[in-house]
Amino acid sequence: MPEKLSIIVVEADRERALLIVDSLREAGDFDVAVISEVTGLSRRISEMNPDVVLIDISSPSRDMLEELALASGPMDRPVALFVDHDDAGLTRSAIEAGVSAYVVDGLRPDRIKPIMDAAIARFHMFSQMRAELKATRQALEERKIIDRAKGLLMKAKGLDEDEAYALLRKAAMDQGVKLADVAQSLVTAAGLLS
Amino acid sequence: MSAPLSAGFIPLVDAAPLVIAREIGFAEEEGLALDLRPAASWATLRDMVSHGQVEAAHMLAPMPVASALGLGGAGVRLDVLQVLSVNGNAIGVSTALAEVMRAAGHSFDFADAAAAGRALLAARPEGLRIGVPFPFSGHAELLYHWLGALGFAVPQALSVHTVPPPLMADALAAGEVDAFCVGAPWGTLAVESGAGELLLPGTAIRRFAPEKVLAVRHDWADAEPELTGRLMRAIWRANRWLGQPQNRTTASEILARSAYLDTPAELIERALSGRLIVSQKGDMRTVPRYLEFFEGAATFPWRSTGALIADRIAARTGLDRPAAQAEGRRVFRSDLYRHHLARTTADMPGASERLEGALAEDTPVASPSGRLTLAADSFFDGFIFDPQRKT
């Protein structure tokens, strides 16, 4: 029976960290720890010396792990970044899901697989949620800009709201750009002229 | 019908050639629908290219070389098609260290790399900890060269830490590092937050240091010569556009947008024009060629640049230096540059290798148009790298 694998999850958000830990526990009998602070990240990881480190791809702290990957003398221990050089498919789906794994020691792919499967599933869910949140925010932001542009037109040209909107829409169609972009340029230009 | 092509970038001022190629329409002119995707870390960007999520990427010049040497990355061979930017970094120290240095008589003249380095080493003779954005970066190369030339045993006596630029001010304030080398505007932001002071611009160590490159997978460049050519011409034109000072304001406005840097245009404009705030009192210094996109054959991917980077990395990591040089040389594709930019007015130097660091002055050289001037690229200590010399 091989020794229990130790996994560190680098994740600042407590809720998310717990969810990841849960899914890893479901996937197998692992020792899982969470690091939520990025200060001294690579030092703390070296101290704990885990077998695998999981980190969100959109975390700038990922670059800190590159140092760790090289720390022990790159030549005597080729550190696998992501999953395993041999398993390009698993690596690709990890990138797409938004997770990267640092395998700190040469681990057999069959031992990594359940960990990565669990992490990938979890991260897929996160990235979907994140994309939805972003789309909602952007829609709100665009509406605000369009409202401001409408206001500017109404004031400058004495139009009512519908007319102002129609004018914006026409400009957008004529130029083949998004309504929000026309509104943005108008707001920017008005800012410059004021 | 435009061909889709995706490129990854880190939201930094020197991602400008990609952004401008898209926004000013140079990509469209070449029939490319350029899709730009931001990444949060260099490692992620490299992996995105290696595994085919994007075709091309904005990258630290030493990264593809390090990958070719088997240091980091997925072992996929990457090519440097052209240089995206030259220079652009600054070195800063913590407020505490700056005080020690000032008390010892350092003038913070922002110009003399030898004096500044000696003052720094005197203030912290051992255990100096410096933050850089990535282990294989122009930032790290500048630091190793600078302190090494002053007699400091690098890398052993120096501890270089990777700190993502947005976290640099925090790391300095928290006392995790004593100094840093970082690109704009992060150095100035660390100064404005009160965490430190700027000590030197990167140009004080080397006057013309290739900083970011356009990297693609080697097999992609081979398989898609047509797209490679279109991409290179679009980016080259964007670089030329960025090299014209009258375009700085427009460039700043475009880069400032939320899809790109999401940073005030004023900060970006300062970086583009080389005006750096060096202390919290607001002292401003203007650095000529602080960030260069075009002049002096800035975009040309010299094979000797690849060889020099590989040689330095090999020396530090204990790899075979001549073999590493040969690898590094292969990564910089001056052949593709000559081939794909032949239809533009791009001026080509006669040779693809040169003595790195040999020019103390801007120097006109032989080229088809006869108007090409190479920029002064000397190191502060007079170091010259001869790619032909056997080490």
Side-chain angles (χ1 to χ4, degrees):
Chain A
M1 182 66 196
E3 226 178 290
K4 231 194 213 184
L5 287 185
S6 57
I7 307 172
I8 287 182
V9 177
V10 181
E11 175 58 64
D13 182 322
R14 210 182 125 71
E15 296 265 310
R16 282 181 55 178
L18 289 178
L19 287 173
I20 297 167
V21 171
D22 283 349
S23 30
L24 289 172
R25 293 240 162 90
E26 276 166 36
D29 188 17
F30 308 118
D31 246 338
V32 191
V34 174
I35 296 184
S36 56
E37 287 268 331
V38 296
T39 45
L41 179 63
S42 53
R43 193 190 65 236
R44 290 168 65 194
I45 290 178
S46 338
E47 281 164 11
M48 294 160 89
N49 193 26
D51 298 305
V52 181
V53 182
L54 292 177
I55 184 168
D56 188 333
I57 265 184
S58 62
S59 162
S61 314
R62 216 201 123 187
D63 279 342
M64 293 180 173
L65 298 183
E66 292 283 307
E67 196 177 286
L68 174 95
L70 299 157
S72 56
M75 287 302 107
D76 43 85
R77 189 162 75 166
V79 180
L81 308 182
F82 278 109
V83 191
D84 193 282
H85 291 175
D86 304 331
D87 199 339
L90 194 53
T91 305
R92 196 164 300 131
S93 37
I95 301 181
E96 268 150 23
V99 61
S100 48
Y102 280 70
V103 176
V104 178
D105 222 328
L107 276 180
R108 290 204 320 275
D110 59 321
R111 301 195 66 196
I112 290 292
K113 184 101 169 66
I115 300 174
M116 287 316 291
D117 284 345
I120 287 171
R122 191 49 80 185
F123 271 76
H124 259 311
M125 211 183 76
F126 287 142
S127 54
Q128 207 180 337
M129 273 163 51
R130 205 182 287 167
E132 277 165 20
L133 188 65
K134 197 176 159 204
T136 316
R137 272 209 196 113
Q138 190 170 356
L140 257 177
E141 202 53 45
E142 287 185 354
R143 233 183 50 211
K144 269 196 281 183
I145 295 283
I146 292 170
D147 280 344
R148 279 176 65 192
K150 271 194 306 196
L152 287 168
L153 284 177
M154 286 159 69
K155 207 169 128 199
K157 307 189 69 166
L159 304 175
D160 70 25
E161 194 170 345
D162 288 344
E163 289 168 332
Y165 187 75
L167 190 59
L168 277 176
R169 202 182 47 201
K170 184 171 183 311
M173 282 162 69
D174 289 349
Q175 296 171 37
V177 293
K178 278 167 55 189
L179 187 65
D181 291 342
V182 176
Q184 179 68 61
S185 343
L186 186 62
V187 169
T188 308
L192 289 175
L193 292 170
S194 69
Chain B
M1 185 58 198
S2 286
L5 196 147
S6 57
F9 70 102
I10 301 271
L12 293 172
V13 176
D14 54 27
L18 285 166
V19 173
I20 293 306
R22 181 187 148 80
E23 294 292 334
I24 301 290
F26 298 116
E28 205 180 335
E29 256 175 36
E30 286 288 337
L32 282 183
L34 192 57
D35 176 21
L36 297 181
R37 304 206 192 139
S41 71
W42 292 109
T44 296
L45 205 51
R46 178 199 57 208
D47 295 337
M48 280 162 71
V49 186
S50 300
H51 295 283
Q53 266 81 10
V54 292
E55 275 95 21
H58 165 227
M59 217 175 255
L60 294 156
M63 283 183 81
V65 176
S67 272
L69 299 178
L71 302 169
V76 175
R77 190 170 156 198
L78 301 174
D79 279 353
V80 169
L81 299 179
Q82 61 207 94
V83 175
L84 291 178
S85 64
V86 168
N87 299 336
N89 296 321
I91 288 163
V93 293
S94 69
T95 311
L97 205 50
E99 272 164 26
V100 176
M101 291 170 69
R102 193 167 274 123
H106 183 59
S107 67
F108 281 81
D109 63 359
F110 211 56
D112 186 341
R118 278 195 286 269
L120 177 63
L121 296 176
R124 180 59 64 94
E126 45 197 66
L128 185 67
R129 297 161 308 159
I130 307 194
V132 296
F134 196 74
F136 301 111
S137 58
H139 315 78
E141 295 303 321
L142 279 176
L143 286 171
Y144 286 126
H145 183 88
W146 176 42
L147 299 177
L150 293 172
F152 203 57
V154 292
Q156 311 87 313
L158 187 68
S159 121
V160 172
H161 295 277
T162 305
V163 181
L167 305 179
M168 205 61 93
D170 288 348
L172 204 62
E176 281 187 20
V177 293
D178 309 303
F180 61 77
C181 180
V182 75
W186 301 106
T188 294
L189 288 177
V191 167
E192 285 178 355
S193 74
E197 271 186 57
L198 292 190
L199 183 59
L200 285 176
T203 51
I205 296 170
R206 187 181 187 187
R207 291 173 67 184
F208 209 70
E211 173 59 29
K212 301 297 183 331
V213 295
L214 179 67
V216 297
R217 278 193 318 284
H218 175 74
D219 58 4
W220 182 83
D222 256 5
E224 300 282 359
E226 174 63 28
L227 282 179
T228 302
R230 291 193 207 177
L231 175 67
M232 290 178 72
R233 287 188 293 273
I235 301 290
W236 179 81
R237 290 199 178 97
N239 271 87
R240 186 177 56 175
W241 186 90
L242 279 161
Q244 292 163 343
Q246 69 269 25
N247 292 332
R248 276 180 196 150
T249 312
T250 314
S252 315
E253 289 294 335
I254 293 172
L255 287 165
R257 290 182 194 165
S258 61
Y260 302 119
L261 272 63
D262 202 10
T263 304
E266 192 254 331
L267 269 184
I268 299 171
E269 226 251 318
R270 264 201 254 152
L272 291 177
S273 49
R275 286 175 291 128
L276 304 183
I277 306 272
V278 300
S279 76
Q280 224 187 346
K281 284 175 291 177
D283 297 339
M284 192 182 289
R285 301 288 162 81
T286 300
V287 181
R289 285 198 179 136
Y290 174 68
L291 179 57
E292 182 59 64
F293 289 106
F294 192 71
E295 288 303 309
T299 56
F300 191 77
W302 296 94
R303 291 196 175 276
S304 47
T305 300
L308 168 60
I309 294 169
D311 180 73
R312 302 288 83 203
I313 293 176
R316 280 201 302 279
T317 51
L319 297 172
D320 179 66
R321 287 168 65 182
Q325 282 189 24
E327 282 294 330
R329 192 174 277 125
R330 261 200 293 280
V331 171
F332 277 64
R333 299 296 303 271
S334 46
D335 57 329
L336 291 183
Y337 189 93
R338 288 182 193 287
H339 177 73
H340 289 300
L341 295 182
R343 280 194 272 141
T344 66
T345 57
D347 226 336
M348 309 281 176
S352 296
E353 297 209 1
R354 60 170 177 170
L355 296 174
E356 295 274 329
L359 301 181
E361 305 284 340
D362 286 1
T363 307
V365 290
S367 78
S369 79
R371 284 192 306 271
L372 183 63
T373 296
L374 297 186
D377 75 330
S378 50
F379 288 88
F380 81 102
D381 61 329
F383 171 80
I384 290 173
F385 174 75
D386 178 351
Q388 297 304 326
R389 221 192 78 199
K390 301 283 169 256
T391 45

